[in-house]
Amino acid sequence: ALRGVVALDGPSGTGKTTVARKLAAKLSAGYLDTGAMYRVVTLAVLRAGVDPADAERVAEVARSIELNIGTSPERPSVALGDEDVAAEIRGPEVTLAVSPVSAVPAVRELLVAEQRRIIAEVVDAQGGIVVEGRDIGTVVTPDSPLKVFLTASSDVRAKRRSAQDSAAGRESTVDDAKASVERRDKLDSTRTASPLRKAEDAVPVDTSELNIDQVIVALAELASQRG
Ligand code: C5P
């Protein structure tokens, strides 16, 4: 079983979520999807009719909501209060607005504190957790013994995202998906507050030519060496 935190960062469409969940299950560890937390805040912002670019009001919304996120890799759950919002937070409205919302420093402060609290609780109870996001290795748990930075070519990422959208019943072309992942990555990498970047000591893994199982095998090996 895993001891401590595996920090899994990278842009969208690199297979992060699938890899994180399978790795956590394999290592009998917990799982935390920090992107889901930014998405829930974004959903609440949109429902409140607040402009995602209005940092002050976005921060107010973030402070006012009750976000409930589960840490089971088999059954991840995410709720706003007691409403299950797992499907809605993956929709196009939230995906379009999530980058500006997550660029607000007050939102990040709030969620990073919450993430650290959840991580400590799970490590205490279970020994280990796999955490996926954009700033886990650089900001949330910089002392984690294993940091991985997943990448993939933008063509591969667009195809994966488009296939995921279709599987979830959302209309999607590869061209649209490509524009969407490229736009989000640009915003996420160029923001001032905790931009998406590889931690210096993170292991880069290019998943363009690898299937999920090959990635899991490679990461489980790294985790057993360092965890
Ligand atoms: O991983 P996912 O695509 O669900 O993340 C949605 C968005 O949340 C990202 O595009 C990014 O803007 C934001 N995010 C972040 N920091 C994290 C995780 C996600 O800023 N640790």
Side-chain angles (χ1 to χ4, degrees):
L2 175 70
R3 309 299 307 172
V5 180
V6 174
L8 202 56
D9 290 302
S12 41
T14 52
K16 249 191 349 269
T17 299
T18 314
V19 166
R21 287 180 57 185
K22 289 202 171 178
L23 182 67
K26 188 180 167 82
L27 301 174
S28 306
Y31 160 68
L32 182 62
D33 177 0
T34 62
M37 299 172 74
Y38 289 94
R39 287 174 180 271
V40 172
V41 172
T42 304
L43 177 64
V45 164
L46 295 177
R47 283 188 180 173
V50 165
D51 177 357
D54 185 341
E56 216 160 292
R57 294 198 59 205
V58 165
E60 270 170 39
V61 172
R63 279 190 287 266
S64 74
I65 63 167
E66 189 199 330
L67 196 171
N68 291 306
I69 185 151
T71 55
S72 152
E74 289 85 10
R75 274 170 300 280
S77 63
V78 51
L80 180 54
D82 56 14
E83 178 194 353
D84 176 357
V85 292
E88 197 172 354
I89 60 167
R90 313 276 162 210
E93 295 82 7
V94 170
T95 298
L96 203 62
V98 68
S99 290
V101 168
S102 59
V104 175
V107 171
R108 305 203 68 83
E109 262 168 53
L110 196 79
L111 292 188
V112 167
E114 180 67 3
Q115 288 155 15
R116 289 184 180 143
R117 190 190 62 71
I118 296 169
I119 290 166
E121 202 175 272
V122 174
V123 168
D124 233 28
Q126 261 177 280
I129 185 167
V130 178
V131 185
E132 69 154 298
R134 303 289 187 289
D135 63 338
I136 311 306
T138 52
V139 174
V140 179
T141 56
D143 296 333
S144 143
L146 177 56
K147 305 177 188 178
V148 176
F149 195 80
L150 293 183
T151 59
S153 71
S154 67
D155 281 321
V156 166
R157 296 192 288 122
K159 277 187 200 140
R160 287 178 184 160
R161 196 30 61 92
S162 171
Q164 266 171 11
D165 282 341
S166 305
R170 290 185 297 266
E171 229 171 278
S172 163
T173 68
V174 176
D175 282 348
D176 290 345
K178 188 166 177 184
S180 168
V181 295
E182 284 179 346
R183 169 187 167 277
R184 204 140 57 88
D185 294 345
K186 177 147 188 267
L187 291 171
D188 292 345
S189 327
T190 56
R191 70 185 175 213
T192 321
S194 316
L196 165 66
R197 65 176 177 81
K198 182 185 155 308
E200 248 167 64
D201 53 349
V203 182
V205 177
D206 184 339
T207 69
S208 306
E209 309 285 334
L210 300 175
N211 65 34
I212 294 292
D213 288 334
Q214 292 171 316
V215 178
I216 302 292
V217 168
L219 298 194
E221 174 71 23
L222 285 170
S224 73
Q225 289 163 5
R226 307 196 186 190

